[in-house]
């Protein structure tokens, strides 16, 4: 993107528990990003006009962060088409978070079902591993533990990624999952980050916030 400031738009369907995220996951993401040098962030949600992503808003967005969970089916084909167009034709970055692997825009961008073998909400810890330490998304990030998480089991039906930046070990160290994957789709970049079950305050963990910040910078072509 040509501008010096990265313009981020954090989107949510607002199904996350208010006792965990009082302002939504999108609000938590935007609040942190607005503390990061060179980034400004706004929020949007599915209940807004044009489902929060009208043409004029997307035209002023360098990176779209997307959290969906139980309302994937409510996202219209028109909404998907707008998002995909801005990624492919204008180079807008797209960051899909956790259960947004099933989001319609991600499926349309990657051209696959984007499904996992298993989904297990056991609330056990997950060990997050930096798999590609030289990738810009991993800058300043060391291995860490998420105290409580829901894990997804491989295989993950997506195209071969350009890089696996983050991996996760779950289910008492028996499950290894690709947790941070990146692709280039025509003019745009795509980053999927698997951790982030909405019943736990994962998106306010400093390590996760750093990955999200780095992801936004990479998606905008600034890292």
């Amino acid at each position: 993107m040509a501008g010096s400031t990265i313009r981020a738009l954090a989107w949510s369907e607002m199904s996350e528990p208010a006792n965990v995220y009082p302002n939504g996951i999108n609000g938590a993401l935007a609040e942190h990003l607005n503390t990061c040098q060179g980034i400004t962030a706004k929020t949007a949600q599915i209940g807004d006009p044009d489902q929060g992503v009208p043409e004029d808003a997307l035209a002023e967005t360098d990176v779209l962060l997307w959290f969906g969970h139980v309302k994937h089916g409510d996202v219209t084909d028109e909404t998907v088409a707008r998002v995909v167009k801005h990624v492919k034709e204008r180079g807008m970055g797209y960051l899909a978070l956790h259960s947004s692997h099933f989001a319609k825009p991600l499926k349309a961008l990657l051209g696959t079902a984007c499904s996992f073998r298993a989904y297990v909400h056991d609330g056990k810890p997950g060990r997050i591993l930096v798999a590609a330490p030289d990738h810009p998304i991993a800058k300043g990030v060391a291995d860490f533990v998420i105290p409580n998480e829901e894990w997804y089991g491989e295989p993950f039906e997506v195209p071969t990624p350009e890089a696996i930046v983050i991996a996760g070990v779950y289910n008492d160290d028996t499950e290894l999952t690709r947790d941070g994957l990146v692709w280039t789709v025509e003019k745009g970049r795509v980053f999927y980050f698997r951790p982030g079950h909405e019943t736990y305050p994962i998106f306010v963990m400093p390590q996760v916030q750093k990955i999200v910040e780095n992801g936004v910078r990479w998606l905008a072509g600034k890292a």
Side-chain angles (χ1 to χ4, degrees), residues 41 62 94 108 113 165 175 206 217:
D62 300 316
Y94 182 80
V165 184
E175 292 279 346
R217 296 188 191 279

Side-chain angles (χ1 to χ4, degrees), residues 50-95:
D50 289 321
Q51 298 197 310
V53 284
E55 180 66 28
D56 59 345
L58 290 175
E60 297 179 350
T61 297
D62 300 316
V63 178
L64 176 62
L65 300 87
W66 191 280
F67 181 82
H69 182 215
V70 296
K71 298 183 181 179
H72 300 307
D74 295 342
V75 177
T76 67
D77 292 343
E78 293 77 13
T79 293
V80 175
R82 287 194 302 274
V83 171
V84 169
K85 181 186 74 171
H86 278 268
V87 174
K88 289 184 174 182
E89 298 181 9
R90 195 174 58 80
M92 181 181 74
Y94 182 80
L95 172 48

Side-chain angles (χ1 to χ4, degrees), residues 6-12 26 29-30 33 40-45 48 52-54 57-58 60-66 92-93 95 216:
I6 299 169
R7 303 164 299 177
L9 181 64
W11 185 98
S12 174
N26 56 344
L29 294 168
L33 291 172
T40 62
K42 298 179 180 179
T43 61
Q45 57 181 288
D48 293 341
V53 284
L58 290 175
E60 297 179 350
T61 297
D62 300 316
V63 178
L64 176 62
L65 300 87
W66 191 280
M92 181 181 74
L95 172 48
V216 167

Side-chain angles (χ1 to χ4, degrees), residues 98-180:
H98 189 56
S99 48
S100 299
H101 71 92
F102 262 149
K104 287 182 179 179
L106 185 67
K107 290 183 176 183
L109 287 164
L110 298 184
T112 58
C114 298
S115 58
F116 282 90
R117 182 197 88 245
Y119 305 86
V120 180
H121 182 196
D122 58 10
K124 292 182 177 181
R127 291 195 294 120
I128 308 303
L129 311 176
V130 177
D134 294 331
H135 195 281
I137 292 176
K139 184 178 180 180
V141 180
D143 298 351
F144 65 99
V145 173
I146 295 176
N148 309 101
E149 180 58 302
E150 172 191 45
W151 61 267
Y152 297 170
E154 294 275 1
F156 180 26
E157 190 179 345
V158 290
T160 301
E162 293 175 11
I164 302 167
V165 184
I166 304 293
V169 182
Y170 303 95
N171 197 33
D172 300 322
D173 289 351
T174 64
E175 292 279 346
L176 177 66
T177 303
R178 294 173 295 168
D179 270 4

